[in-house]
């Protein structure tokens, strides 16, 4: 990911961002930070970049021309439109979900104002997002840009050593983090809670959830209310568990945004993919929820002007026709949901080396790396547009969400986890079929999901008998009700 900062004080931001975690990531080429001096672009012979505001008033304003030319130099170099953020107290207040959304971008331009701000005309021309770091006024946007780069940069895959650490932290799933302790076990008479020394993983996890809940309730009642609302939904959804595993997992993985909830009528948005998941008791309630989703999507589409398609996942047969007729939605696929309902891992056959070691000709399963992207994209197509397909697989591989089965150095097949959490993309190349490689990959994916504390599940197209039989042979339980992936336009 590349951060391009437009500022009058490039040294100020570069000095801070070349230190510590972000500095190291930049040194290792995982991300880049560059600051362009807006002053270099002024056409004024005295190097002036500001002037008095029309209509009078205190202070000076940054002029449009140097800001625009600095911005043009970056966008021309990148060669395609780039999301451009103006750091301003008038923007949407920065939060973790926003950081997660920006972390998916390849490039971001950050524009720092100074003095009384910037001439409105250039903002209207170039800015796509207005972001504030809080309800207070700074002297310039530089500190805000540093906060932005730090919070977004650390979410870029590979920046934090431990891939899981961003997922357990405050704000993930609307909870603050539980209290943490390190050596010594006793300090000034204060002992570390005994349970943390017990070595019992399950009890430690339960203790941490309880502590996180209590802390959030006490310190951030606003967050706690959102957390509780989602937990209430989860309890309702669990009444028909197999049908709703995709939705309960969104909540469990901290990537659900509640759009509507009225009794058993629930609609959640996956904050990672933007897909909306919908379950309803009847057509009227179901359509009312789709209307809410459409209104929200319309409002968002309005912000950047473009009309867009979005994905809607329906959980009842009766909603499919209604969504088609009333909202012009189109059916992409009907699937069964298959869930590994036990906590125990599946047994690993002697077929491959579970530790992923390279051993003579024995097949081994390893996490895929960016160098495998081309082969994966050649054999797996989830999106019609090849560029979108490539971008999707690149993102999944980049996040360490795909594994491959290797025969020697050859990639014989692969499996992965989709953005919303289902296992899928299972592919075995023709020349390697008939050797139970598909089963080995699926067992690996199920066991890995369990290791991460997730409920493994997959969605299988209704006529994909090979996959249905494979999941049945592994003992996964099938939902009776089909799940429908649809596209809708706003
Ligand atoms: N006159 C402006 C107003 O009332 O909205 C405030 C200008 S402020 C003194 C100067 C610059 O600091 C802004 O252009 C902006 O880039 C930055 N800034 C100030 N407060 C900020 C905040 N809370 N979040 C992000 N940027 C901020």
């Amino acid at each position: 990911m590349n951060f391009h900062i437009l500022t009058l004080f490039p040294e100020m931001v570069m000095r801070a961002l070349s230190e510590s975690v972000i500095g190291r990531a930049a040194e290792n080429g995982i991300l880049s930070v560059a600051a362009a001096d807006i002053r270099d672009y002024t056409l004024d012979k005295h190097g002036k970049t500001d002037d008095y505001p029309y209509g009078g008033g205190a202070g000076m304003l940054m002029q449009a021309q140097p800001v625009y030319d600095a911005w043009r130099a970056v966008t021309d170099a990148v060669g395609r439109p780039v999301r451009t953020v103006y750091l301003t107290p008038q923007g949407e207040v920065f939060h973790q979900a926003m950081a997660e959304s920006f972390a998916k971008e390849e490039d971001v331009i950050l524009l720092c104002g100074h003095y009384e701000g910037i001439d409105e005309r250039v903002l209207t021309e170039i800015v796509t997002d207005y972001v504030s770091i809080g309800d207070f006024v700074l002297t310039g946007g530089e500190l805000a840009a540093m906060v932005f780069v730090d919070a977004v940069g650390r979410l870029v895959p590979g920046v934090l050593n431990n891939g899981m650490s961003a997922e357990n932290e405050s704000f993930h799933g609307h909870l603050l983090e539980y209290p943490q302790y390190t050596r010594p076990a006793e300090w000034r008479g204060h002992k570390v809670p005994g349970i943390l020394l017990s070595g019992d993983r399950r009890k430690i996890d339960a203790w941490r959830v309880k502590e996180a809940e209590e802390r959030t309730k006490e310190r951030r009642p606003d967050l706690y209310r959102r957390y509780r609302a989602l937990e209430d939904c989860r309890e309702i959804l669990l009444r028909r568990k197999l049908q709703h595993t995709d939705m309960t997992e969104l909540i469990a993985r901290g990537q659900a945004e509640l759009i509507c909830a009225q009794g058993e009528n629930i609609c959640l948005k996956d904050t990672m993919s933007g897909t909306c998941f919908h379950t309803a008791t009847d057509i009227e309630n179901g359509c009312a929820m789709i209307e809410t989703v459409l209104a929200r999507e319309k409002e968002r589409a309005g912000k950047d002007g473009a009309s867009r398609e979005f994905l809607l996942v329906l959980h009842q047969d009766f909603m499919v026709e209604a969504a088609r007729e009333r909202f012009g939605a189109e059916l992409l696929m009907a699937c069964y949901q298959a869930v590994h309902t036990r906590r125990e891992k599946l047994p690993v056959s002697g077929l491959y080396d579970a530790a992923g070691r390279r051993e003579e000709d024995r097949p081994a399963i390893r996490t895929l790396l960016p160098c495998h992207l081309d082969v994966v994209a050649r054999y797996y197509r989830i999106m019609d547009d090849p560029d979108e397909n490539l971008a999707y697989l690149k993102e999944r591989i980049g996040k360490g969400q795909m594994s491959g089965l290797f025969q020697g150095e050859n990639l014989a097949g692969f499996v992965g986890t989709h953005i919303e959490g289902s296992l899928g993309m299972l592919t075995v190349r023709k020349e390697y079929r008939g050797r139970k490689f598909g089963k080995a990959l699926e067992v690996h994916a199920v066991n890995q999901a369990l290791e991460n504390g997730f409920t493994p599940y997959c969605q299988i197209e209704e006529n994909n008998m090979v996959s249905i039989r494979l999941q049945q042979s592994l003992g996964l339980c099938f939902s009776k009700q089909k799940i429908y992936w649809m596209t809708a336009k706003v």
Side-chain angles (χ1 to χ4, degrees):
M1 172 164 199
N2 309 305
F3 296 97
H4 310 268
I5 305 176
L6 308 180
T7 167
L8 289 173
F9 300 92
E11 279 166 24
M12 176 178 172
V13 287
M14 289 314 288
R15 217 176 299 139
L17 293 172
S18 56
E19 299 278 346
S20 184
V21 176
I22 300 297
R24 228 176 7 251
E27 245 171 51
N28 294 335
I30 300 168
L31 51 78
S32 79
V33 185
D37 191 341
I38 294 172
R39 202 175 299 281
D40 289 346
Y41 293 87
T42 178
L43 298 178
D44 181 89
K45 56 179 185 293
H46 305 294
K48 206 162 69 81
T49 55
D50 59 331
D51 214 324
Y52 295 100
Y54 280 116
M60 306 291 274
L61 270 189
M62 286 168 66
Q63 292 169 294
Q65 175 272 318
V67 171
Y68 183 75
D69 287 358
W71 175 83
R72 268 308 289 265
V74 174
T75 49
D76 285 352
V78 174
R80 58 188 146 70
V82 181
R83 236 167 133 177
T84 300
V85 177
Y86 176 40
L87 284 318
T88 165
Q90 301 178 23
E92 182 179 351
V93 177
F94 196 48
H95 51 76
Q96 192 64 17
M98 213 194 266
E100 278 160 14
S101 130
F102 277 108
K104 290 187 208 139
E105 301 289 332
E106 197 76 35
D107 291 85
V108 177
I109 298 176
L110 299 169
L111 172 60
C112 307
H114 230 87
Y115 317 119
E116 278 315 303
I118 303 180
D119 188 310
E120 190 68 22
R121 291 167 296 182
V122 66
L123 299 178
T124 318
E125 190 107 343
I126 67 173
V127 173
T128 55
D129 300 81
Y130 293 83
V131 174
S132 162
I133 62 158
D135 290 343
F136 43 78
V137 180
L138 302 164
T139 55
E142 286 70 21
L143 283 168
M146 289 183 234
V147 167
F148 185 101
V149 172
D150 194 274
V152 175
R154 67 194 290 286
L155 299 176
V156 173
V159 171
L160 296 182
N161 293 332
N162 171 3
M164 287 297 286
S165 65
E167 273 156 34
N168 290 326
E169 278 172 332
S170 295
F171 305 114
H172 192 76
H174 305 302
L175 280 184
L176 301 178
E177 198 181 50
Y178 43 82
Q180 302 250 54
Y181 304 86
T182 184
R183 269 180 244 264
E186 185 170 339
W187 177 76
R188 285 167 62 88
H190 304 288
K191 287 191 176 138
V192 167
I195 198 143
L196 297 177
L197 310 175
S198 70
D200 186 331
R201 198 63 274 149
R202 225 172 262 183
K203 279 194 185 146
I204 292 175
D205 287 346
W207 179 86
R208 286 180 164 166
V209 171
K210 188 173 85 30
E211 290 291 319
E213 284 177 348
E214 277 171 16
R215 174 161 288 198
T216 311
K217 195 173 178 178
E218 188 183 305
R219 298 187 185 177
R220 288 291 303 273
D222 57 323
L223 269 190
Y224 186 74
R225 273 194 294 279
R226 276 148 72 188
Y227 167 76
R228 264 300 0 134
L230 280 170
E231 282 301 294
D232 292 345
C233 287
R234 188 149 81 116
E235 276 159 31
I236 292 170
L237 293 167
L238 282 172
R239 291 180 199 156
R240 277 170 290 144
K241 190 173 164 182
L242 295 176
Q243 184 183 348
H244 291 134
T245 302
D246 50 352
M247 298 179 78
T248 52
E249 276 302 292
L250 279 186
I251 300 173
R253 295 168 195 224
Q255 59 188 79
E257 180 190 336
L258 183 55
I259 297 188
C260 329
Q262 238 178 13
E264 292 189 15
N265 295 289
I266 296 172
C267 185
L268 303 176
K269 182 168 181 163
D270 173 13
T271 54
M272 304 304 280
S273 65
T275 305
C276 292
F277 291 74
H278 169 292
T279 186
T281 51
D282 56 274
I283 292 184
E284 282 325 304
N285 276 306
C287 286
M289 286 196 292
I290 296 182
E291 260 159 27
T292 309
V293 173
L294 283 171
R296 288 173 59 129
E297 292 295 321
K298 238 180 224 147
E299 204 183 294
R300 279 194 30 200
K303 273 190 194 162
D304 47 34
S307 101
R308 61 155 77 90
E309 273 193 348
F310 70 97
L311 292 167
L312 189 60
V313 184
L314 303 176
H315 288 70
Q316 280 78 24
D317 301 329
F318 59 74
M319 279 310 302
V320 177
E321 218 27 60
R324 214 181 339 230
E325 269 176 18
R326 294 204 202 169
F327 305 103
E330 281 174 37
L331 182 64
L332 285 178
M333 57 179 173
C335 344
Y336 289 106
Q337 193 146 262
V339 185
H340 177 81
T341 50
R342 288 162 292 135
R343 278 170 181 252
E344 292 78 38
K345 285 191 186 173
L346 291 169
V348 175
S349 71
L351 175 71
Y352 68 95
D353 178 39
R357 280 185 298 258
R358 291 156 208 260
E359 230 183 71
E360 305 138 30
D361 250 3
R362 197 170 170 209
I365 297 182
R366 296 193 289 274
T367 305
L368 291 182
L369 301 170
C371 60
H372 302 120
L373 175 63
D374 287 343
V375 188
V376 173
R378 208 177 315 141
Y379 292 95
Y380 183 77
R381 172 68 66 87
I382 188 174
M383 285 158 190
D384 291 338
D385 182 306
D387 291 339
E388 280 180 25
N389 197 53
L390 198 71
Y392 183 76
L393 296 172
K394 186 176 176 198
E395 190 271 346
R396 291 290 77 198
I397 292 175
K399 288 233 161 102
Q401 295 296 325
M402 292 197 71
S403 302
L405 191 147
F406 291 84
Q407 177 89 70
E409 283 312 306
N410 297 325
L411 181 62
F414 49 84
V415 71
T417 307
H418 286 294
I419 293 191
E420 79 285 353
S422 66
L423 305 180
M425 302 180 254
L426 180 61
T427 305
V428 176
R429 289 166 65 175
K430 255 204 191 99
E431 56 271 42
Y432 294 99
R433 290 192 188 150
R435 304 188 206 179
K436 297 206 169 15
F437 283 0
K439 185 170 179 176
L441 281 161
E442 193 67 12
V443 167
H444 177 82
V446 165
N447 290 348
Q448 223 179 19
L450 286 169
E451 270 174 32
N452 290 331
F454 302 145
T455 298
Y457 76 97
C458 47
Q459 296 183 335
I460 309 151
E461 280 200 78
E462 56 185 337
N463 44 16
N464 185 348
M465 291 316 294
V466 177
S467 181
I468 291 177
R469 273 199 288 273
L470 171 62
Q471 313 305 334
Q472 281 170 337
S473 76
L474 296 176
L476 271 71
C477 301
F478 280 68
S479 62
K480 286 200 190 75
Q481 168 67 57
K482 275 183 266 180
I483 283 144
Y484 300 92
W485 281 74
M486 307 199 66
T487 52
K489 267 203 186 94
V490 278

